Structure formats: structure tokens, C-alpha cells
Amino acid sequence: MPVRRLPANPDLNHLKYQAKDLLKGHAAEDRGVAQRIREFHPRFKTSTEVEIFGAELRLSDGQLTIAREYGFRSWARLKEHVESPSLAERLNLPYQERIEDPVFRRAVDQLDAGDTAGLRELLRRNPNLVRQRIEFEGGNYFRTPTLLEFIAENPVRHGSLPRNIVEVATVILDAGPSRESLSEALGLVTTGRVARECGVQVALIELLCDRGADPDGALQAAAVHGEFEAANALLRRGVGMSLPVAAALGRREDFLRLLPEAGDEDRQRALGLACQFGKAEIVLSLLDTGVDPNGYNLPGMHSHSTPLHQAALGGHEHVVRLLVERGAETKARDLLWNGTPADWARHEGHKEVEAYLRERETGGEGKQSSGSERI
């Protein structure tokens, strides 16, 4: 789930009220509140709704959840930011301008400029630099990156990469980053659009994997972000296919092979991705197995929304109709912008999908659809 953005002048008392409201929603067994707690409170990361509603929460739990919703690791860190933000916490600045360490900042500037000679010399004179981490808070990811992770341009800082970014990455790799850093960089490369748009995504994937990055964890993330070139590159390296990835890519044979042994969570993930990318046959198969069309998507899978939101956003009318006919709630609201699926369709200009959903919101039957028939 993307983190919420703090207003320009956040008020600590208002944030405290948000924590109290979260506890009220928990007491009322609000499914959206359960989803937020699961996503952002580390103690409930793998908990079911029933387990979350059955747990006793204190104000400190609500405050921790709220802090992490805004991208801070604790309520104390959020409070400190509101009262006296450091340079690294000035969220309006580009990431490189929030770096306080002058040597690390110089390394990032050399990376951005494609200065391999200067970067190699800087790493030689500062051997600990390659494993050093800096801390950013207030964001959804990229919170403690190493230098290597800047090669992905994800999050977007400039919108482009130097033409010799593969050589730049090689210089950093030669300096000996940790395997964890390699895998984190791979995840950013496989989910970022800039590397693909610059034509270097696959080359960077191959380089990082050759140097020891773990490709298994990157495959599903690539599929979630619609980075199918990256997903296929990882599959060519022998990463195992999973049900959610098969659903996202529309690989029907793989999907049917994996479906019988898949657990409930993988089926829920697969439904979210099939709806996101308009794979109607796969959506129908999953609904036939009893997957709940009204469950929020799982963490890491646009979890602020339902499958119907994702189908509406993509303008996949046949999938939208199929979901509604199978009981998907048209009045469900997402957890970030409080929008219904019809609102999401309108945002992307899908007028026919919006009209259908608006009619259903007001109780109209709409025209007959063949959505529930076999495709």
C-alpha cells in the first residue's frame, strides 16, 4: 500500500486523533481498518481479519500504525519530524538533495553523471562507502538504500539514467556490495519504468543476477507493477512460476497447472492481478473456486484497493461486469483516496465502465452481460 503523504504543515494533535479514530474503527470491525493494521503494524503482518479484530489494541498500537502509514518507522520518529525535521526528512526535496553525508552525496552525483573514473576512485579511497546505508523516511520504500540501489532511478529522481549505467553499476559491484544490497537493487530495477524506458532494464537484471542477486523475490513485484519485460527476463533465468505471476501474465496453462495446489493467499493475489490486467478467463476460474471478490488486495499488491477497483482503473469492462455479477461491492472505497471503483474508472476516462458502475451504485440493474458465462 502506498504511504500517505503528510501535509506541508502537519499537526501532531491531528495525527493523534487519526490514531484514536483507527482504534474506533478496529472496535467497530471495519475491514478497511483491519487492512491498514495488517499492512503497517509489524505485529499483525500475517494476521487474519478475525485475529486482528480479536486482538486488544492500545493507543500506542494506533500511533505506530499511523506513523508507518506516513512512512516513519515509529511514532517517536514521526513526532520528531513534525517538531523539527532534519534535511533527510524534507520530503519536498529530491532524494539526492536530502543526503547529508558529503561523500555519499558525491558518489550519487558521480553515478548520475556516469563518471565511472571518479566513482571508482572515490570507492577506492572510501572502502566502506559501498556498504554504507543512508536513511530516508516519509516514503513507501527506498528507506535505507545503499549506493547500488540508486542505479535503478526508482523512485524517480531525474527521469533518466546515464547511457553508461551498466558500466557505472559494474564499478559499484566491483567494490563489493552485500548480497542483500544486490537483491534490493534488482527489485528496484525490475519494478521501475525508467530503466525500461532507457533500454537498460534487462541488461541490469542480467548483471545483478550474474553477480549474485536473488531473482526469486523480484518476479512477483515485477508482475504487480506491469513490468512484463523484466518478469520474462527473470523467468528466463529459471525463476519458478507462481500462480499470481501466471495470472498477471495471462499464462493460462501455467495457471491451471498451479491452481489445484495453490493456497488461499496465492489465489487472492492471483485474483487481484488478473483483474488488474484484464485476464477474464483467469478471473472466472478463481471466482469459481470461491475467492472473495470483496477482499482487499494483499500487502504488496495495491492493497489499498479491491479487485474491482483495479479492473475499473484498467478499463476492463468484461472483468468489471463479471466481478459485479459475482457479488463485488460497487460502493467499496479505497483506503487512500476514499474512491469507489466508479471514481477510479472516471479518473482514467473509462466512461462506459464508470456509467455501468454508477448505475449499480444506485441500485440499477444495467444491461444484461454475458460476464458469468464461460469465455
Side-chain angles (χ1 to χ4, degrees):
M1 186 186 301
V3 298
R4 299 175 186 270
R5 301 293 294 179
L6 282 172
N9 298 297
D11 181 88
L12 192 60
N13 285 325
H14 182 63
L15 293 168
K16 290 178 180 176
Y17 288 133
Q18 290 183 31
K20 292 177 181 178
D21 286 340
L22 186 84
L23 296 182
K24 291 178 183 177
H26 173 263
E29 298 193 356
D30 183 310
R31 291 188 75 177
V33 167
Q35 181 78 344
R36 292 164 61 195
I37 292 170
R38 180 188 296 112
E39 180 85 14
F40 293 108
H41 196 305
R43 181 155 59 93
F44 297 100
K45 187 175 182 180
T46 61
S47 299
T48 65
E49 281 186 4
V50 172
E51 291 169 339
I52 291 172
F53 291 138
E56 180 179 350
L57 298 188
R58 299 179 179 181
L59 179 59
S60 59
D61 292 306
Q63 290 175 332
L64 176 59
T65 302
I66 293 298
R68 292 196 169 214
E69 275 193 306
Y70 285 107
F72 291 82
R73 66 176 182 267
S74 67
W75 178 259
R77 291 293 299 122
L78 175 59
K79 182 175 182 290
E80 183 179 345
H81 167 78
V82 171
E83 294 175 342
S84 181
S86 67
L87 176 62
E89 294 166 351
R90 293 180 185 175
L91 308 183
N92 60 318
L93 295 177
Y95 278 91
Q96 67 273 15
E97 294 181 21
R98 294 164 58 188
I99 300 172
E100 296 178 287
D101 184 303
V103 176
F104 200 109
R105 170 64 190 272
R106 186 178 177 188
V108 172
D109 288 342
Q110 290 172 329
L111 181 156
D112 290 341
D115 180 3
T116 54
L119 184 58
R120 184 180 291 107
E121 177 60 18
L122 188 65
L123 287 165
R124 186 190 68 78
R125 288 189 283 109
N126 299 273
N128 294 327
L129 177 61
V130 73
R131 290 177 177 253
Q132 180 182 344
R133 290 187 179 272
I134 54 173
E135 185 172 11
F136 297 121
E137 291 193 277
N140 197 51
Y141 62 106
F142 206 66
R143 291 178 176 172
T144 57
T146 63
L147 179 62
L148 182 63
E149 287 155 70
F150 282 82
I151 67 169
E153 184 65 7
N154 178 18
V156 176
R157 298 179 295 115
H158 303 292
S160 63
L161 285 164
R163 292 183 178 180
N164 65 337
I165 189 60
V166 176
E167 289 77 15
V168 171
T170 301
V171 168
I172 300 172
L173 290 167
D174 288 344
S178 68
R179 190 163 187 258
E180 180 184 17
S181 177
L182 280 161
S183 298
E184 290 168 353
L186 178 63
L188 293 171
V189 168
T190 57
T191 58
R193 65 172 178 82
V194 176
R196 169 175 45 79
E197 291 170 353
C198 292
V200 295
Q201 188 180 54
V202 173
L204 286 172
I205 289 170
E206 294 292 339
L207 174 64
L208 291 166
C209 289
D210 286 345
R211 292 298 190 97
D214 180 5
D216 290 330
L219 178 58
Q220 184 167 283
V224 170
H225 287 81
E227 293 294 339
F228 296 143
E229 290 181 31
N232 285 318
L234 292 168
L235 288 169
R236 287 195 296 272
R237 294 201 61 102
V239 180
M241 179 66 73
S242 68
L243 189 78
V245 172
L249 298 178
R251 295 198 176 190
R252 179 77 172 163
E253 290 185 6
D254 286 325
F255 172 81
L256 292 175
R257 172 175 56 82
L258 294 167
L259 180 60
E261 301 300 321
D264 292 341
E265 287 195 356
D266 265 358
R267 293 182 186 213
Q268 191 73 45
R269 291 188 181 96
L271 179 64
L273 289 173
C275 291
Q276 180 180 341
F277 298 113
K279 309 302 181 183
E281 286 185 292
I282 290 175
V283 171
L284 183 58
S285 295
L286 288 163
L287 293 174
D288 283 346
T289 69
V291 180
D292 181 7
N294 286 310
Y296 283 99
N297 294 312
L298 295 179
M301 313 282 294
H302 307 297
S303 55
H304 57 299
S305 63
T306 67
L308 185 57
H309 280 94
Q310 292 298 322
L313 185 71
H316 306 304
E317 185 174 0
H318 195 79
V319 173
V320 166
R321 289 176 177 270
L322 176 57
L323 287 167
V324 171
E325 290 172 2
R326 291 299 188 92
E329 177 53 64
T330 58
K331 295 180 182 180
R333 293 187 175 274
D334 76 88
L335 302 179
L336 277 180
W337 300 285
N338 199 37
T340 65
D343 295 330
W344 282 42
R346 179 180 61 188
H347 184 270
E348 292 299 308
H350 302 306
K351 294 181 179 180
E352 291 186 4
V353 172
E354 181 192 358
Y356 169 76
L357 289 169
R358 295 287 184 211
E359 187 173 18
R360 291 295 178 138
E361 283 181 1
T362 58
E365 289 300 318
K367 62 185 181 180
Q368 287 291 322
S369 167
S370 60
S372 60
E373 298 173 2
R374 290 288 173 183
I375 301 162

